[in-house]
């Protein structure tokens, strides 16, 4: 499967950007402040709900000049003609309390879509993403996207659980009996 297009709107300094990707050998070679990291963060946000580096600071994706705008990322994948689209929207929720004229932040809303259908719960969306990529959970997917996430953000218990799923169950005694690296 290949990522065939990325559509970003109202993310950091990007108003609207649509990238059509071709045979999987795409390179974004642009000067600083073009949006390369924003693109990477947008893709990982749409798939895993975090930034590329593993941070959960999703508010940092909001547009710089209008933080009340709806931020949106849509990814289209093509797996030998089987097209799948994932979209995630994020916005702050502002309210004006009675007897005031000043709006205050009341939280945020994340809305998810798979193939244009609204998925009511983020957990169900994540399950759909994991099923598409045939991985057991979002942490595993994120570790496959960014190997540093595996070592920098996951606890040793989480890393061990992922390794055990892919290899086999390893008893602590097996680890202690192993010969040291030379």
């Amino acid at each position: 499967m290949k990522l065939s297009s990325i559509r970003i709107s109202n993310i950091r300094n990007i108003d609207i950007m649509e990238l059509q990707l071709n045979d999987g050998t795409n390179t974004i070679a642009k000067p600083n402040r073009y949006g390369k990291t924003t693109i990477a963060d947008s893709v990982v946000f749409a798939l895993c709900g975090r930034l590329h580096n593993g941070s959960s600071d999703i508010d940092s994706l909001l547009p710089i000049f209008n933080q009340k705008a709806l931020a949106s990322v849509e990814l289209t994948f093509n797996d030998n003609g089987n097209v799948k689209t994932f979209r995630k929207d994020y916005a702050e929720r502002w309210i004006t309390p009675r007897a005031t004229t000043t709006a205050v932040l009341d939280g945020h809303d994340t809305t998810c879509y798979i193939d244009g259908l609204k998925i009511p719960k983020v957990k169900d969306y994540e399950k759909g993403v994991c099923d598409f990529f045939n991985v057991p959970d979002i942490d595993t997917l994120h570790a496959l996207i960014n190997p540093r996430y595996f070592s920098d953000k996951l606890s040793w218990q989480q890393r061990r659980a992922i390794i055990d799923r892919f290899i086999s169950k390893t008893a602590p005694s097996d680890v202690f009996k192993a010969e040291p690296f030379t």
Side-chain angles (χ1 to χ4, degrees):
M1 84 196 61
K2 295 180 182 173
L3 179 59
S4 58
S5 73
I6 304 169
R7 181 171 168 68
I8 298 169
S9 59
N10 296 321
I11 302 279
R12 292 188 183 137
N13 61 341
I14 297 173
D15 289 332
I16 294 176
M17 176 186 282
E18 189 159 346
L19 300 172
Q20 295 299 322
L21 308 173
N22 51 33
D23 62 3
T25 59
N26 298 284
T27 302
I28 300 173
K30 296 289 184 179
N32 288 342
R33 301 201 46 83
Y34 175 79
K36 300 178 297 290
T37 301
T38 298
I39 294 167
D41 282 341
S42 297
V43 168
V44 177
F45 164 70
L47 295 174
C48 302
R50 295 181 174 270
L51 303 182
H52 183 258
N53 68 3
S55 168
S56 59
D57 182 21
I58 303 306
D59 287 342
S60 72
L61 290 176
L62 291 171
I64 293 170
F65 300 109
N66 181 6
Q67 296 224 321
K68 293 182 182 179
L70 177 72
S72 182
V73 180
E74 182 176 281
L75 307 175
T76 302
F77 291 87
N78 190 333
D79 186 17
N80 297 321
N82 179 23
V83 177
K84 189 70 124 179
T85 302
F86 297 100
R87 183 176 119 206
K88 193 177 276 188
D89 297 341
Y90 180 84
E92 292 180 337
R93 187 174 47 250
W94 292 84
I95 62 167
T96 305
R98 287 194 296 186
T100 69
T101 57
T102 305
V104 294
L105 182 62
D106 186 48
H108 70 275
D109 294 311
T110 301
T111 310
C112 305
Y113 302 85
I114 298 177
D115 292 334
L117 298 173
K118 184 176 179 180
I119 308 299
K121 296 180 181 175
V122 173
K123 288 290 181 192
D124 293 336
Y125 174 84
E126 290 176 349
K127 182 178 180 338
V129 170
C130 290
D131 289 348
F132 179 72
F133 288 102
N134 196 26
V135 295
D137 56 49
I138 289 295
D139 279 336
T140 302
L141 179 61
H142 200 159
L144 292 169
I145 292 170
N146 177 8
R148 290 197 59 173
Y149 176 77
F150 182 81
S151 60
D152 292 351
K153 296 293 180 179
L154 297 178
S155 68
W156 71 266
Q157 294 94 336
Q158 292 168 307
R159 292 192 303 263
R160 180 171 173 181
I162 289 172
I163 290 169
D164 282 348
R165 273 196 300 268
F166 285 106
I167 299 172
S168 67
K169 297 289 183 198
T170 305
S173 59
D174 295 333
V175 175
F176 295 124
K177 285 188 229 175
E179 293 192 318
F181 291 101
T182 57

